[in-house]
Amino acid sequence: MGTSVLSLRIDGELLERLRQHAAKRGMSVQDYVVQTLIRDDFDERFKTAVDETGKFYGAT
């Protein structure tokens, strides 16, 4: 898997909040944002898998 660049325009207040959250975890803002996106993507995929399993077994 390769990497790509994603550029975001955010206001100063949001950037400062991201800096604070990242600093609490000893991370850069970039790493913090990437990890947050990865976690959200995993949560979404996991929920979908659980829903599909429930449909397969007739639970939902």
Side-chain angles (χ1 to χ4, degrees), residues 12-59:
E13 184 179 320
L14 177 56
L15 180 57
E16 186 55 35
R17 288 197 336 248
L18 288 171
R19 283 185 180 134
Q20 291 172 3
H21 287 293
K24 287 179 187 176
R25 291 160 180 80
M27 304 170 80
S28 69
V29 172
Q30 179 180 340
D31 288 342
Y32 176 76
V33 170
V34 169
Q35 289 300 317
T36 301
L37 291 171
I38 290 169
R39 183 179 61 238
D40 286 349
D41 180 55
F42 172 80
D43 291 347
E44 188 175 310
R45 287 183 290 135
F46 182 75
K47 182 186 178 318
T48 300
V50 169
D51 292 346
E52 290 298 316
T53 300
K55 288 178 188 175
F56 179 77
Y57 287 105

